[in-house]
Structure formats: structure tokens, C-alpha cells
Amino acid sequence: RLMSVANAKHTLFIERFCMTGGNSPVGYLKAYHTNLYLSADPVKVREALEEGIAAATMFTPEKMTEVSKTQLRVAFDGDAVLFSDESERIFKAHGLDKFFEHEKAHENKPLDHGPLKGFLEALGKLQKRFYDKGQRLDCPIRTYLVTARSAASSGTRALKTLRSWGLEIDEALFLAGAPKGPMLEKIRPHIFFDDQMFHVERAAEMGTVACHVPYGIAQRKGAEAKQKKL
């Protein structure tokens, strides 16, 4: 019945499918060559991330914003999502000024990859099929980088990192710490990924399907704060 609904109502063509009887499906993800695992269960998401699989906890808003029916729009945060949390660690430990100094000094050194780099690569391969046919402007997939980094002081390293990986991002939005909500409202992505629950919650409140990537220093800081409250 589930497959019938997916194929008929949502016009999805699903061939690979597994039923685990309540057990975690994480063990099968690598065998399925999974590019992205989404779940409402944060425990399973963490298991998948520990196995090196791109994963996120998905939050579906009660009332969803209307999105494009002809183009899939995917928005990513940068640090601890596409990139490692290296720079975020500097910011958390030493403050904003030291963060800017660090990024300037390491501008030409690519950041290590984050948990969703592989998913961006998979999207890029699909996009290339259209680019090779001369359909770059009509490509049905569009990607966005929506980051709190500023363009002048720390954005250059992010762009150079993507270039060193051989990856493209269609639009890069450097907000210099400004709220992400207004930009997401303009983009109207089908899905948005961020490592900080604050941004995820705000996006979901605006009607965006938002996904939390529980990776990096921000998660440990959050856990420590909860422990202090207890």
C-alpha cells in the first residue's frame, strides 16, 4: 500500500525498498549506496553520520511554503554541513576576531569536508547531465549556500574550498551573521540543511522543510548547556 501511494499520489518511481521490522536501517545504507538519509529519529541520524553517510533529522512544518514545481532547490549551511567544523571551533574557542584572522591566514587552504559534501557531489553529477546538453539555465536542480560567514572576511575560503573540490554552488549568500530567514523566504527551498537547531527551527516556522545535521562543535556545546540546566 505504501508503495502504491508513493507511485500513484506522489508520482515517485521507487525500485529499491527494504522493511526492517522495526530495526535500524542504518546497516543497509552503505549497501544501498545511499547519498542522503533523512529521518525524524535523531538517534538513527547520528548512527548514519558515524558510518560516514550524509544524514540529517528532518522537521516538516505544519503549513509548508509553496515551492517551485519545476526546479528542486536545495539550500545548505556551510560550516559543519558542507565543510568541517574546523573554523567554527576557532570561533567558539577564541571569538570572532581570531576567527577572521584564522580564515585570512588559511584562505588558500581548503577546509576539510563536512557530512553533506557527498550529497552535494551527487547533486552536482545530476546537474552536469543537463549542463552537458547545454541546459545550464534550465537545469531542474539549483543549489544554494546560505552561510553566516561574511563575503569579505571569511567567504573567500569557503568558495575556494568548493573550487578545490571541483564542486559548484549555484548561489552563495554570505549573511555576515544576519538572520537566514529572509533569504530562505526569498529562495523558497524544498529543503534546507543546518547544524544549528536555532536556524532549523526558524526555517521550519516559516514553512520550510528544515533538516538538522547533528555534527561538530555546536552539538557538544548544546549538550553541555543541557547538562548545566539539569
Side-chain angles (χ1 to χ4, degrees):
R1 183 180 178 183
L2 176 63
M3 297 300 294
S4 298
V5 171
N7 290 327
K9 183 177 179 180
H10 300 290
T11 61
L12 297 174
F13 185 63
I14 299 174
E15 288 187 319
R16 296 179 182 177
F17 184 78
C18 69
M19 300 178 69
T20 62
N23 291 328
S24 173
V26 172
Y28 296 101
L29 297 180
K30 283 190 175 180
Y32 273 109
H33 302 290
T34 303
N35 296 121
L36 176 67
Y37 174 65
L38 298 176
S39 174
D41 186 339
V43 174
K44 290 186 175 66
V45 167
R46 288 182 182 277
E47 287 179 18
L49 287 173
E50 288 171 2
E51 291 295 319
I53 296 163
T57 308
M58 185 167 65
F59 295 85
T60 304
E62 293 182 7
K63 185 177 180 181
M64 294 178 59
T65 298
E66 186 175 344
V67 294
S68 173
K69 295 181 180 179
T70 59
Q71 186 180 64
L72 174 65
R73 298 174 183 174
V74 184
F76 300 90
D77 178 31
D79 295 289
V81 176
L82 292 179
F83 314 126
S84 73
D85 67 339
E86 168 201 327
S87 299
E88 196 163 342
R89 286 172 178 271
I90 299 295
F91 169 66
K92 296 287 186 184
H94 304 290
L96 193 59
D97 289 341
K98 288 293 183 182
F99 165 76
F100 288 148
E101 290 177 15
H102 177 269
E103 293 305 285
K104 186 63 178 177
H106 295 81
E107 181 178 302
N108 295 312
K109 179 184 178 183
L111 290 153
D112 287 335
H113 69 83
L116 263 63
K117 177 201 172 190
F119 178 50
L120 180 61
E121 286 178 328
L123 291 176
K125 289 177 182 178
L126 291 175
Q127 287 178 306
K128 192 174 185 301
R129 295 183 184 181
F130 293 92
Y131 297 168
D132 291 345
K133 297 177 183 178
Q135 298 176 346
R136 177 177 287 269
L137 296 179
D138 299 318
C139 182
I141 301 172
R142 194 164 185 82
T143 56
Y144 301 80
L145 173 65
V146 184
T147 174
R149 285 174 175 257
S150 61
S153 58
S154 57
T156 302
R157 190 181 186 195
L159 294 177
K160 286 186 175 181
T161 295
L162 290 170
R163 194 175 301 129
S164 74
W165 292 345
L167 295 179
E168 294 183 33
I169 202 90
D170 292 304
E171 297 189 31
L173 306 172
F174 298 96
L175 305 184
K180 297 183 180 182
M183 287 299 177
L184 293 175
E185 189 173 14
K186 178 66 176 177
I187 296 168
R188 296 198 173 194
H190 291 77
I191 194 165
F192 166 62
F193 298 93
D194 203 291
D195 69 306
Q196 300 198 46
M197 276 302 301
F198 173 79
H199 295 303
V200 171
E201 290 169 351
R202 297 294 85 76
E205 287 172 2
M206 294 175 57
T208 298
V209 175
C211 299
H212 178 235
V213 182
Y215 171 86
I217 187 68
Q219 316 311 313
R220 284 188 282 279
K221 291 290 185 180
E224 289 171 5
K226 287 182 180 179
Q227 287 294 328
K228 288 180 180 179
K229 287 181 181 179
L230 294 174

